[in-house]
Amino acid sequence: MTKTLQDLIDESIFISTEFQARLAELTQGAGWDVDFSAPAFTLQTEPPVVLTPYLLGTESSSRGSWIWSWQELGHFPAEVVSAAVQAREAGERLGVDELSTDELPVAEGLARRLTLAAKTVTGVYAHYPAGAGGGVTAWLLLDGPEFELPELTVERMMRVIAEALTTDTAVDHNHAVDSYAKLRGAHIEWDTEATCVVTVRDGAQRFWFDDHQISGVEPAEPSVGPDILADLAADARARAATLREDRAAAEATAARQEAEPQRAEETEEAPEPTKAPQEQPRETEEQPEPIEVPDFVEAEHAPRPQDRPEPVEAPRETEEPAAAHAGAADADLPFDQEPSDRDVRPGRVSTTVVPGPEPVRPAAGEPVELAAAAHREPAAEREVEREVVAGPGVPGSAEARPVVDGEEIPEEDQGERKKGFFSRFFGL
């Protein structure tokens, strides 16, 4: 079965709107922190609310492209990129190229559309566009027990659908209503392609459609009773559990793919075992005596390694000072410059610095004191730093406004440029 990106968007648009409304209730206008090494998305409310963040990708206006976080594994924990990997696998399975292409040119609303489609295949329905400065926005999916929704009622259903339709994101309203009813454990019965009845706990509504657009709604008689609705709610929970299992499998895939290059590197660096000299075939009695002495005879009479005097090796001088090595290691690390005025920055994104190069062991015969001195590093350079990038309220206002579905984050001035994957991923 194949689908289009719009099919996936239609399936998630109504429930996404409901989850975004819940996220706005949770934020209460408070600031937030994101620590990908935990991982944790913390709302600075009273008391604080800690959610699980999944990084889908980044959109950069200066770079002009969207990059999925799975493009180069190893920069984030496997759990953080698991939803993106899950979206990629679903895209490959359903034939949705936008979910399985590592980098896409920026188009108006593309990042939000990719996020809505990812919600359908991951079962994580809340998102947050976190501004990283320099016209870069990191798009996160958020999950946690705080997103437990109340039982669906007629009033809640109609309010959610009405609000979602104001964004003009849904194209096939028939498909969108059908998906929302099933995801929320409601009963939907189609009389024809032009009309259906959705039954919830406290009543029912009849929807009329004209060319796959909702053209009218009116109260209707419930089609089923509480027992059937309870079974449908259980089916919805089972579908959600299946998507969670798929995400756990995607996390394992991310961890495995991250480890494969490391194993390949170790294999390349491992020295090949020395091959023992092969014996020459014995000459038969009919053949004349060999004219030349076989090489292996000379090897037998050659002095053994233990009989040879070991060459005296002069102590090696370090080619570069330790500070130079540290600078090279840090060249590809993201966000190694702390932003100023932390007290007015409502959002901070943190990751853990990749450790620097391991100390070099002294060669045979090299004085231990000399080797230690050559590779001694200043204490400050051995500390593990916390890498930081400001959130959507930086620089400028300290307020963190509630997230409204479809709202974009204003661009900020770009900071110091970095090299490597993070320079493209976060536009630094």
Side-chain angles (χ1 to χ4, degrees):
M1 179 181 63
T2 61
K3 292 189 176 183
T4 66
L5 184 70
Q6 186 60 49
D7 290 336
L8 299 179
I9 292 171
D10 289 338
E11 290 178 27
S12 72
I13 183 59
F14 292 157
I15 197 167
S16 170
T17 300
E18 191 172 11
F19 270 77
Q20 290 305 107
R22 175 58 182 153
L23 178 58
E25 293 173 1
L26 291 173
T27 58
Q28 302 174 20
W32 51 267
D33 294 338
V34 178
D35 183 355
F36 288 135
S37 62
F41 181 94
T42 304
L43 295 171
Q44 303 300 336
T45 53
E46 188 57 46
V49 176
V50 180
L51 306 172
T52 301
Y54 299 99
L55 177 60
L56 290 181
T58 59
E59 179 188 39
S60 170
S61 58
S62 59
R63 187 181 62 245
S65 65
W66 160 279
I67 294 183
W68 287 97
S69 63
W70 48 256
Q71 182 187 7
E72 191 169 337
L73 299 175
H75 291 281
F76 303 97
E79 182 180 1
V80 171
V81 299
S82 60
V85 173
Q86 187 179 9
R88 179 189 66 189
E89 293 174 344
E92 293 170 348
R93 184 174 64 253
L94 299 174
V96 183
D97 293 339
E98 293 90 341
L99 299 184
S100 56
T101 302
D102 56 359
E103 189 165 357
L104 299 167
V106 165
E108 184 178 357
L110 173 66
R112 178 172 172 271
R113 290 170 57 80
L114 294 174
T115 301
L116 288 172
K119 291 182 179 187
T120 296
V121 297
T122 62
V124 185
Y125 298 109
H127 74 269
Y128 199 105
V136 177
T137 302
W139 287 75
L140 312 173
L141 293 183
L142 301 175
D143 198 12
E146 292 79 6
F147 286 111
E148 188 72 27
L149 298 177
E151 191 174 3
L152 190 61
T153 62
V154 169
E155 180 188 2
R156 187 178 184 90
M157 175 177 65
M158 298 311 300
R159 186 171 67 248
V160 166
I161 291 177
E163 184 177 345
L165 292 180
T166 61
T167 65
D168 292 329
T169 304
V171 171
D172 189 337
H173 293 182
N174 301 56
H175 191 42
V177 170
D178 188 84
S179 174
Y180 181 56
K182 292 174 180 176
L183 290 172
R184 292 293 272 121
H187 180 270
I188 184 167
E189 181 178 357
W190 290 90
D191 298 333
T192 66
E193 191 179 73
T195 181
C196 70
V197 173
V198 178
T199 302
V200 295
R201 176 178 60 84
D202 63 344
Q205 290 284 305
R206 177 177 294 277
F207 289 82
W208 296 89
F209 301 88
D210 183 9
D211 194 21
H212 289 262
Q213 302 287 298
I214 295 176
S215 58
V217 182
E218 63 182 10
E221 288 295 323
S223 302
V224 295
D227 292 342
I228 299 297
L229 289 176
D231 292 341
L232 292 172
D235 291 342
R237 290 192 295 270
R239 280 192 292 269
T242 299
L243 290 176
R244 284 195 298 271
E245 292 172 0
D246 290 345
R247 189 160 61 256
E251 180 179 344
T253 299
R256 184 172 60 253
Q257 292 178 350
E258 176 184 347
E260 284 174 358
Q262 297 176 0
R263 285 197 297 267
E265 256 181 53
E266 292 172 0
T267 304
E268 290 176 1
E269 293 175 1
E272 294 185 4
T274 306
K275 295 183 179 179
Q278 299 179 353
E279 284 191 14
Q280 299 289 338
R282 298 183 178 180
E283 304 289 344
T284 60
E285 295 179 359
E286 298 178 357
Q287 293 178 340
E289 294 182 0
I291 298 176
E292 296 181 359
V293 180
D295 293 338
F296 75 90
V297 176
E298 295 180 355
E300 286 180 358
H301 293 280
R304 291 175 296 175
Q306 59 267 30
D307 298 334
R308 299 175 184 170
E310 295 186 2
V312 180
E313 185 177 333
R316 295 178 297 176
E317 297 182 0
T318 55
E319 296 179 0
E320 298 179 6
H325 287 287
D330 293 340
D332 195 35
L333 299 182
F335 319 130
D336 54 2
Q337 182 175 357
E338 293 282 338
S340 60
D341 301 330
R342 295 188 185 179
D343 56 331
V344 299
R345 296 178 179 268
R348 299 170 60 77
V349 181
S350 304
T351 59
T352 301
V353 175
V354 180
E358 296 182 359
V360 180
R361 300 178 181 275
E366 182 179 0
V368 177
E369 294 79 9
L370 178 59
H375 299 282
R376 186 175 295 117
E377 298 178 6
E381 296 182 11
R382 304 176 70 88
E383 295 179 358
V384 177
E385 301 177 353
R386 305 295 291 178
E387 300 299 332
V388 178
V389 59
V394 181
S397 173
E399 297 179 357
R401 295 179 291 114
V403 181
V404 178
D405 199 12
E407 181 181 10
E408 300 293 339
I409 299 300
E411 299 181 3
E412 308 295 349
D413 295 334
Q414 187 171 3
E416 182 181 357
R417 304 187 68 84
K418 306 296 175 184
K419 298 179 181 179
F421 172 70
F422 276 94
S423 67
R424 292 192 303 119
F425 193 76
F426 281 110
L428 298 176

